[in-house]
Amino acid sequence: MTLPLVVGVDGSDSCLLAVDWALDEAERHGLPLRLVYASLWARYEGGLPSVGRGRPSERVLAEHIVASAAERAERRGPDVKVTTDIVADGAADVLVREGDDAFALVTGPRGRGELKGMFLGSVGLAVAGRAHCPVIVVRGDRVGLAGTHERILLGLGEADTGVEAVRFAFREAEVRGCILDVVHAWRRPSHDRSGEGVRAEGPTDVYEERASALLDAQLKAAAAEYPHVRMRRTTLEGPASKILVDRSAAADLVIIGARRRTGHFGFQLGGVSHAVLHHGQCPVVVVPQRR
């Protein structure tokens, strides 16, 4: 069974952009598209005004939002199979559950009613921190969303966060026929193992070599599996969050890995993931690495 690309819809402008982006992505991969609206309206049904045949107004609104999103998707990609659902529960909880049977989850950067700005909304952040499938936050300006850079940016950290992210990035680069730009940021430690301070002019070759070796080890298997993908690998000294946010301005997609600890139900995003999700200038993919 082909898993769908699931999009959380809520009627916001950013949601409609996410639907457009997801439709194009589903078309590239030959996937069905599933549009899901989630709200706690059913729990408060008794207190809501009724419309039409006694249905609560929130239900009517939900049906209108879902139908409009589906019509928009079908106009944009008539060959993509589109299904819809309305679920009476919190949006983040619903999308996390949907992710158990999804190719990936797609959200906009902000939901209906959230303040506009650079920062990611609460639902997108919660889903990115909890879902067990890739989560794609469709953010950026029109240029960032257009997909005209023909470049995917993969930010690699430690080996235990990158295996699934590497596989996702290579597959995406192959489907799009674009360059895969792999970046690993490293920092020179302020103290060595003996506790002595490391001089600013101390040897950097050792740290660069370690960073390069880490990249080689993480990329070897996927590079062999996808031999036609054009890859450019870079190691840079500096803060990973700033490097990835800056370089995302010239990318169609930025991909990062995240740990998922069994039995851990809280947020599991590090500082780099937070920074890229809040400030990335193109769509951002968080790919979980289960442990």
Side-chain angles (χ1 to χ4, degrees):
M1 181 181 67
T2 302
L3 296 178
L5 191 61
V6 177
V7 188
V9 298
D10 60 9
S12 63
D13 291 341
S14 65
C15 152
L16 295 178
L17 291 176
V19 170
D20 291 347
W21 189 95
L23 190 285
D24 294 343
E25 182 74 353
E27 206 163 32
R28 288 188 198 100
H29 288 273
L31 301 172
L33 191 67
R34 177 170 164 80
L35 307 178
V36 178
Y37 179 99
S39 172
L40 292 170
W41 61 269
R43 297 187 184 182
Y44 311 104
E45 183 175 343
L48 288 173
S50 296
V51 176
R53 300 177 180 177
R55 296 176 298 176
S57 60
E58 181 71 16
R59 176 75 190 193
V60 175
L61 175 63
E63 291 173 351
H64 172 73
I65 288 172
V66 168
S68 297
E71 182 182 358
R72 182 185 183 100
E74 288 163 354
R75 285 200 309 267
R76 188 177 182 93
D79 295 330
V80 175
K81 180 181 178 181
V82 179
T83 59
T84 64
D85 199 4
I86 299 173
V87 184
D89 203 349
D93 291 336
V94 168
L95 290 177
V96 169
R97 290 197 302 268
E98 289 280 337
D100 291 339
D101 295 299
F103 172 85
L105 294 170
V106 181
T107 76
R110 292 170 300 279
R112 185 161 46 101
E114 291 182 310
L115 294 176
K116 293 185 177 181
M118 289 291 290
F119 296 108
L120 179 63
S122 58
V123 172
L125 190 60
V127 173
R130 293 167 50 198
H132 289 279
C133 73
V135 175
I136 305 168
V137 177
V138 179
R139 60 171 302 117
D141 56 20
R142 294 283 180 178
V143 175
L145 296 173
T148 55
H149 296 294
E150 298 185 348
R151 187 173 76 99
I152 289 175
L153 176 62
L154 169 63
L156 281 184
E158 297 304 315
D160 62 349
T161 65
V163 175
E164 297 297 332
V166 168
R167 184 177 294 113
F168 187 98
F170 269 86
R171 179 175 55 194
E172 195 69 30
E174 182 174 73
V175 168
R176 292 170 177 253
C178 67
I179 292 174
L180 177 59
D181 188 6
V182 186
V183 176
H184 176 73
W186 59 274
R187 303 295 294 271
R188 182 172 16 194
S190 57
H191 294 82
D192 61 22
R193 292 182 180 180
S194 67
E196 294 293 328
V198 177
R199 293 178 302 172
E201 69 274 13
T204 61
D205 290 349
V206 172
Y207 306 114
E208 287 179 333
E209 289 171 3
R210 288 176 182 171
S212 182
L214 179 65
L215 275 188
D216 289 342
Q218 294 194 74
L219 297 172
K220 182 177 180 180
E225 184 179 355
Y226 297 91
H228 300 297
V229 170
R230 296 168 293 158
M231 179 177 58
R232 183 168 53 207
R233 51 191 298 286
T234 307
T235 60
L236 295 170
E237 181 179 11
S241 56
K242 183 178 188 307
I243 289 170
L244 292 177
V245 168
D246 288 348
R247 293 172 77 99
S248 70
D252 298 326
L253 198 64
V254 55
I255 300 169
I256 49 180
R259 293 185 182 92
R260 288 290 183 270
R261 300 178 182 88
T262 303
H264 186 87
F265 296 100
F267 292 103
Q268 302 176 59
L269 295 175
V272 174
S273 300
H274 272 273
V276 178
L277 284 167
H278 283 304
H279 301 290
Q281 299 176 68
C282 68
V284 178
V285 188
V286 176
V287 183
Q289 180 66 38
R290 297 192 183 189
R291 297 183 62 182

